[in-house]
C-alpha cells in the first residue's frame, strides 16, 4: 500500500466556458467535481496504474463530506482522512474552450487546532506499518506547524519507508533537512530553496541540503533529475496545451510508482513525463488521458549520465 498525505484537501471544481472574458457574465457549459488536493490527485493516478493507495489528511464540513463521498467511488483508493471542525476548501478551475487555457482559484484551507494535529499524527503513525512508501504533498493549512513535514518524514523513515516530499517555501526547506528520499520542486520552488536560478546547480545544491534525489519540473522543458545514481533530463516530444491542474501530481505518481516497482531512474522519468502530459490533455482536473499516456511512453526523451559512485 502507498500512503499519500494531503493536509490541505480540497473539492476540485472545473467549469468549462466557451470563452473567458474579464468583467463579463459567462454561461457554464459543464461542471465537474472531484476530490482534490495534491496527494489525492497523486492517489488517483497511482490507483489507475494498479497500485493500492490510502489517502490521509484532513477533511471537514459539508465540502469535506462531498470529498469523502466521491473518494469512495475511486477504485483502489482507501479513505483514511481525519475529521476536523473547519470546512474543507474548494478550488475552481475555469477552462476557456476557445484557447484551452485554464484560470485557477484556490481557497485557503481551514484552521487546524493543536488537538486535531495531534490526532492526525497518531492516525498517520498507525497507517505506516502497512505502507510501502509515503508521499507528503501540498501546502500546510493554517495551524499546522511549519516543520510538520520534517516531523512526518522522520516518523516514516523510523519505519524504514521511502518518502517523497512535494511542497514549497519554508515547509520544503525544513523538510529537506529531514532527508526525504525524493523532492519534486518546480523551477521557482527550487530557486527559492537554493538561491540559484540555474536548475542543474540548484538540484545538486538541494541534494547537499539533505534530499536523496531531486526531480525538478521545468514546464515545457520537462524534468531535471539529480540522484545518487546519476543525472538525467527528460523531455516530452511535443508542447501540449490544456488544463495543467494535477500535472505535477501526475509526475509524483510516476516517480513514486517507479520507486516501489524498483524501476531504473530513466524509466521512472519517462513514466512521469508521459503521465504529466496526459493529465494536461484530460478534460477534468486531476485525471489523465490513458491513450495519450500510452502513446507518449515511447516518445519521451531521457538523456543523462550515470554516476560511478
Amino acid at each position: 500500500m502507498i500512503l499519500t498525505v494531503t493536509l490541505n484537501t480540497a473539492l476540485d471544481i472545473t467549469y468549462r466556458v466557451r470563452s473567458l472574458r474579464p468583467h463579463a457574465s459567462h454561461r457554464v457549459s459543464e461542471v465537474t467535481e472531484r476530490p482534490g488536493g495534491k496527494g489525492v490527485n497523486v492517489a488517483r493516478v497511482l490507483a489507475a496504474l494498479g497500485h493500492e493507495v490510502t489517502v490521509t489528511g484532513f477533511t471537514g464540513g459539508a465540502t469535506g463530506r462531498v470529498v469523502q463521498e466521491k473518494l469512495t467511488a475511486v477504485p483502489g483508493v482507501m479513505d483514511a482522512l481525519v475529521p476536523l471542525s473547519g470546512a474543507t476548501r474548494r478550488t475552481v478551475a475555469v477552462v476557456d474552450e476557445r484557447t484551452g487555457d485554464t484560470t485557477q482559484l484556490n481557497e485557503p484551507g481551514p484552521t487546524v487546532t493543536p488537538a486535531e494535529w495531534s490526532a492526525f499524527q497518531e492516525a498517520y503513525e498507525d497507517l505506516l506499518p502497512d505502507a510501502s512508501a509515503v508521499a507528503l504533498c501540498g501546502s500546510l493549512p493554517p495551524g499546522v506547524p511549519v516543520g510538520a513535514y520534517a516531523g512526518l518524514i522522520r516518523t516514516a523513515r523510523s519505519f524504514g519507508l521511502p518518502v517523497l516530499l512535494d511542497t514549497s517555501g519554508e515547509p520544503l526547506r525544513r523538510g529537506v533537512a529531514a532527508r526525504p528520499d525524493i523532492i519534486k520542486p518546480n523551477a521557482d520552488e527550487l530557486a527559492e530553496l537554493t538561491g540559484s536560478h540555474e536548475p542543474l546547480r540548484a538540484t545538486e545544491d538541494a541534494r547537499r541540503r539533505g534530499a536523496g534525489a531531486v526531480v525538478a519540473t521545468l514546464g515545457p522543458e520537462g524534468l531535471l533529475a539529480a540522484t545518487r545514481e546519476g543525472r538525467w533530463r527528460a523531455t516530452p516530444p511535443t508542447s501540449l496545451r490544456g488544463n495543467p491542474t494535477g500535472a505535477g501530481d501526475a509526475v509524483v505518481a510516476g516517480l513514486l510508482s517507479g520507486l516501489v516497482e524498483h524501476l531504473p531512474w530513466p524509466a521512472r522519468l519517462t513514466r512521469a513525463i508521459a503521465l504529466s502530459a496526459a493529465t494536461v490533455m484530460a478534460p477534468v482536473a486531476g485525471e489523465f488521458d490513458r491513450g495519450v499516456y500510452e502513446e507518449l511512453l515511447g516518445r519521451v526523451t531521457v538523456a543523462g549520465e550515470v554516476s560511478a559512485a
Side-chain angles (χ1 to χ4, degrees), residues 12-19 26-34 92-97 243 282-285 287:
D12 287 342
I13 304 168
T14 302
Y15 291 143
R16 300 185 69 86
V17 298
R18 179 169 296 180
S19 177
H26 297 79
R27 186 177 298 276
V28 176
S29 60
E30 182 181 355
V31 181
T32 308
E33 294 182 342
R34 290 287 189 277
V92 178
V94 183
V95 179
D96 185 320
E97 294 177 336
N243 185 353
V284 177
E287 304 287 349

Side-chain angles (χ1 to χ4, degrees), residues 12 25 33 76 89 115 133 135 222 227 243 265 283 299:
D12 287 342
S25 296
E33 294 182 342
R89 68 190 177 118
T227 78
N243 185 353
W265 271 103
R299 299 174 56 205

Side-chain angles (χ1 to χ4, degrees), residues 151-185:
L152 297 180
I153 290 167
R154 294 186 184 101
T155 301
R157 291 184 65 84
S158 73
F159 282 79
L161 296 175
V163 182
L164 188 154
L165 176 63
D166 182 17
T167 188
S168 61
E170 190 62 21
L172 174 60
R173 188 181 307 277
R174 298 199 186 191
V176 167
R179 308 187 71 82
D181 295 82
I182 305 172
I183 63 170
K184 188 214 68 64

Side-chain angles (χ1 to χ4, degrees), residues 1-5 124 127-128 131-137 152-153 156-157 161-165 181-182 252 256 259-260:
M1 176 268 286
I2 298 174
L3 179 64
T4 72
V5 176
Y124 171 75
L127 291 166
L128 293 177
S132 58
V134 178
L136 305 173
C137 304
L152 297 180
I153 290 167
R157 291 184 65 84
L161 296 175
V163 182
L164 188 154
L165 176 63
D181 295 82
I182 305 172
V252 171
L256 202 58
L259 184 154
V260 300

Side-chain angles (χ1 to χ4, degrees), residues 1 39 66 73 81 95 100 115 117 123 128 130 146 167 170 184-185 190 216 254 264 266 268 285 289 295 298 309:
M1 176 268 286
V66 174
L81 293 168
V95 179
W117 175 236
L128 293 177
D130 295 322
V146 71
T167 188
E170 190 62 21
K184 188 214 68 64
L190 185 62
R268 299 185 202 182
D289 187 308
E295 190 268 336

Side-chain angles (χ1 to χ4, degrees), residues 6 12 35-46 245-246 249-250 253 285-287:
T6 312
D12 287 342
K38 295 181 73 64
V40 175
N41 291 336
V42 171
R44 187 185 295 110
V45 176
L46 285 169
T245 305
D249 306 327
E287 304 287 349

Side-chain angles (χ1 to χ4, degrees), residues 222-235:
L223 303 176
L224 179 64
T227 78
R228 295 184 182 93
E229 292 81 7
R231 299 183 300 190
W232 289 272
R233 185 182 291 271
T235 54

